[in-house]
Amino acid sequence: EAGDYKLFIPQLELDANSKIALTGLNGSGKTLFINHLLEVLKQKGKAEKVLYLPQEILETEEQRILSDFCNCDDDLRGEILSTLYRLGSEPLSLSQHNEEKSSKMSVSPGELRKLIIAMGISSPISFMILDEPTNHLDELSKKLIIGTLKEFFGIGIVVSHDRNFCDELCKKTVWLYRENVKFLGGKDFVVAESFNVSFSDSIKLMEENAASSRNAWNQLDKKAKTEQSRIHQLQVEAEK
């Protein structure tokens, strides 16, 4: 249960280096799924091992992240700056922020997302949940982030509609869709369907499944019409 919704989630086998694409239409329940997963991890005492990159980062959260970076010890800060460099950032600007110790700092949305990822990778986390991580990033930055995340030895869930990004990084795909079940009082169900293939290949499988279902339906419809015609003929014969 998740609020007014019921989640149907398949059993997912996650090894230590699994990277999973989580996708679906807008309003299909992706945020609901992630919030539920975060709450489950918190209840299991795993919150400190999780990096969560939200789709939208509030200014207060931005200031907290920048403050945490400035308060890192020299070794950890150096590791973060090295990762940022590999992500295509110019660490000098952040170093200047740290030296100035200004009361209010600011970086671009794209650079902030890179910083969050770099800080996560440099800390002892085992689980990443990235909500639309490619927002505000150019193509080169996306490629560099893919390379860095591939080296992350942990479980990663990427919420995204970016097919190329997901295809390069994720070998499993989970599609979410929402259904309204009328015979249960119109209750909304969020259903997850899992595929052990890439984003693009999962679309092909769904198209094949849909075509197979349409074919099966057409066969049943044809059979039903044949039986209906036969019954009608029997009725006519019986009335003679």
Side-chain angles (χ1 to χ4, degrees):
E1 296 281 349
D4 294 330
Y5 295 86
K6 181 178 284 291
L7 295 172
F8 280 96
I9 305 170
Q11 182 174 347
L12 300 175
E13 295 183 5
L14 306 177
D15 57 39
N17 202 29
S18 292
K19 304 296 186 294
I20 302 166
L22 178 67
T23 191
L25 298 175
N26 290 333
S28 60
K30 297 186 293 297
T31 300
L32 178 72
F33 181 99
I34 291 302
N35 288 339
H36 180 66
L37 178 58
L38 288 170
E39 181 61 29
V40 170
L41 291 169
K42 180 180 178 181
Q43 291 175 2
K44 292 182 177 294
K46 303 291 185 181
E48 296 300 320
K49 296 291 184 179
V50 179
L51 167 69
Y52 172 50
L53 173 64
Q55 185 171 350
E56 299 295 335
I57 303 170
L58 299 176
E59 184 179 353
T60 52
E61 182 66 8
E62 175 185 354
Q63 293 303 309
R64 184 193 65 77
I65 293 164
L66 291 170
S67 176
D68 287 347
F69 168 75
C70 290
N71 292 325
C72 289
D73 61 53
D74 291 343
D75 290 340
L76 178 56
R77 190 181 309 112
E79 187 176 343
I80 293 170
L81 291 174
S82 176
T83 302
L84 278 171
Y85 184 78
R86 290 190 288 119
L87 292 175
S89 292
E90 178 49 64
L92 180 61
S93 60
L94 279 173
S95 297
Q96 290 172 339
H97 275 313
N98 181 55
E99 292 171 0
E100 292 168 2
K101 299 286 186 179
S102 58
S103 60
K104 188 173 183 180
M105 301 176 290
S106 180
V107 295
S108 70
E111 292 301 301
L112 181 61
R113 301 179 91 73
K114 291 179 186 178
L115 176 60
I116 293 171
I117 292 172
M119 291 176 68
I121 289 175
S122 301
S123 63
I125 64 167
S126 55
F127 209 115
M128 276 193 185
I129 301 175
L130 309 178
D131 194 350
E132 300 293 351
T134 59
N135 283 358
H136 310 292
L137 298 179
D138 57 27
E139 290 303 317
L140 177 58
S141 293
K142 293 178 186 180
K143 291 182 182 296
L144 293 172
I145 285 180
I146 288 171
T148 300
L149 292 178
K150 281 182 176 179
E151 296 174 2
F152 168 63
F153 192 74
I155 297 171
I157 293 182
V158 178
V159 184
S160 180
H161 295 100
D162 191 324
R163 184 185 299 194
N164 292 332
F165 185 88
C166 291
D167 281 348
E168 285 290 323
L169 180 63
C170 305
K171 303 304 179 186
K172 296 184 179 182
T173 307
V174 175
W175 282 85
L176 295 181
Y177 55 95
R178 192 166 66 184
E179 291 187 345
N180 186 271
V181 184
K182 293 183 179 179
F183 64 84
L184 289 177
K187 188 174 183 63
D188 280 319
F189 284 70
V190 175
V191 182
E193 188 171 5
S194 177
F195 300 88
N196 289 319
V197 294
S198 69
F199 190 118
S200 292
D201 286 343
S202 71
I203 293 176
K204 293 177 183 177
L205 284 176
M206 287 193 294
E207 289 173 343
E208 291 172 1
N209 292 341
S212 177
S213 297
R214 286 194 299 269
N215 183 60
W217 173 258
N218 289 337
Q219 292 291 337
L220 287 172
D221 188 49
K222 183 178 179 180
K223 183 177 180 181
K225 288 178 179 178
T226 300
E227 288 297 315
Q228 190 175 26
S229 177
R230 177 172 167 272
I231 291 171
H232 177 70
Q233 288 176 354
L234 289 172
Q235 289 174 335
V236 171
E237 289 293 326
E239 291 174 358
K240 288 182 178 179

